[in-house]
Amino acid sequence: MEIDDYIVADDRRLVELVLAGDDAAFAYLFDRYRDAIRRLFVQRLCGSDDADDLLQETFIKVYINLNRYRPDYTFGQWIYTIARNTFIDYVRRRQEEQPIDERFAAPASGAPTPEESVINLQRRSQIEYYLSQLPPRYRRLVEMRFFDEYSYEEIAVKLSLPLGTVKTQIHRARERMCRLIAEGERS
């Protein structure tokens, strides 16, 4: 096959080629998904050096299990599931390596555990990213409602808008943000 043929081939075609013994097709699949999967690991690990190891482990699993791929799902969904499960296994292995007294020790205070802090930080950074993708008026409404914890009535008064308009625009902002999150998970 010519290079151009690999570039324009869809994922299903590349999977067929790999299963037929064409290793170059797998290189193109790897190139298509490498950056997105690596970003996923970097975000979840807060930039840990383990991201590259997890990326490699994920693609080894993809290669070994490629014959199990079914086109009922997009290839991106399938590979994301493998990446997510690889990350879960990684977290479990790390927990098993901890001494048992540290693993089950309750936090001394109501403060979040280190893992909870990392998860909260990751969620916050993801929310901030998707929030930055919203138009300014929607971003402002979401921040006022969910971060500053204003009631709908307080927002209406502060922005001199009818209450119905505030509710409608917040609803639209939430829908748009959910769409952005869903699209981000697919890519």
Side-chain angles (χ1 to χ4, degrees):
M1 255 177 96
E2 296 294 320
I3 292 175
D4 292 343
D5 295 331
Y6 288 111
I7 293 171
V8 297
D10 66 3
D11 293 342
R12 288 181 185 170
R13 177 68 181 134
L14 290 174
V15 168
E16 290 170 2
L17 291 169
V18 173
L19 292 174
D22 187 344
D23 290 334
F26 188 77
Y28 281 90
L29 281 173
F30 176 78
D31 288 341
R32 275 187 194 166
Y33 290 96
R34 172 190 54 220
D35 293 338
I37 299 298
R38 187 173 191 291
R39 257 192 321 274
L40 171 78
F41 291 137
V42 168
Q43 286 174 345
R44 291 190 175 183
L45 295 168
C46 293
S48 168
D49 293 334
D50 292 336
D52 288 327
D53 292 340
L54 290 172
L55 179 70
Q56 183 177 16
E57 186 176 338
T58 297
F59 277 95
I60 290 170
K61 289 177 181 178
V62 167
Y63 188 79
I64 290 171
N65 294 296
L66 201 56
N67 61 332
R68 294 175 150 185
Y69 168 68
R70 298 290 172 256
D72 301 338
Y73 300 97
T74 66
F75 187 74
Q77 291 170 322
W78 186 73
I79 196 170
Y80 175 80
T81 301
I82 292 173
R84 186 187 67 220
N85 291 340
T86 300
F87 181 77
I88 291 168
D89 292 344
Y90 166 82
V91 170
R92 285 184 186 144
R93 281 192 309 263
R94 291 206 44 206
Q95 286 176 346
E96 289 171 2
E97 292 170 0
Q98 287 180 331
I100 196 155
D101 55 336
E102 286 180 26
R103 206 179 323 161
F104 297 106
S109 68
T113 64
E115 292 84 7
E116 289 169 334
S117 296
V118 168
I119 290 169
N120 290 339
L121 180 64
Q122 290 170 343
R123 285 183 183 153
R124 177 71 183 206
S125 66
Q126 286 177 326
I127 288 170
E128 288 173 352
Y129 170 76
Y130 291 118
L131 198 56
S132 73
Q133 304 299 306
L134 292 176
R137 74 174 192 279
Y138 284 165
R139 184 171 44 246
R140 184 170 184 208
L141 288 168
V142 169
E143 288 172 347
M144 290 177 80
R145 177 73 179 126
F146 300 103
F147 292 99
D148 301 332
E149 299 182 351
Y150 286 111
S151 68
Y152 290 108
E153 294 79 11
E154 291 171 318
I155 294 170
V157 169
K158 282 197 174 284
L159 299 179
S160 302
L161 293 171
L163 181 60
T165 301
V166 169
K167 288 181 178 182
T168 300
Q169 288 188 356
I170 288 175
H171 177 76
R172 288 178 183 161
R174 287 174 54 200
E175 282 183 338
R176 187 174 287 188
M177 195 154 168
C178 287
R179 224 177 8 258
L180 288 168
I181 291 168
E183 290 170 5
E185 289 181 353
R186 278 186 247 136
S187 59

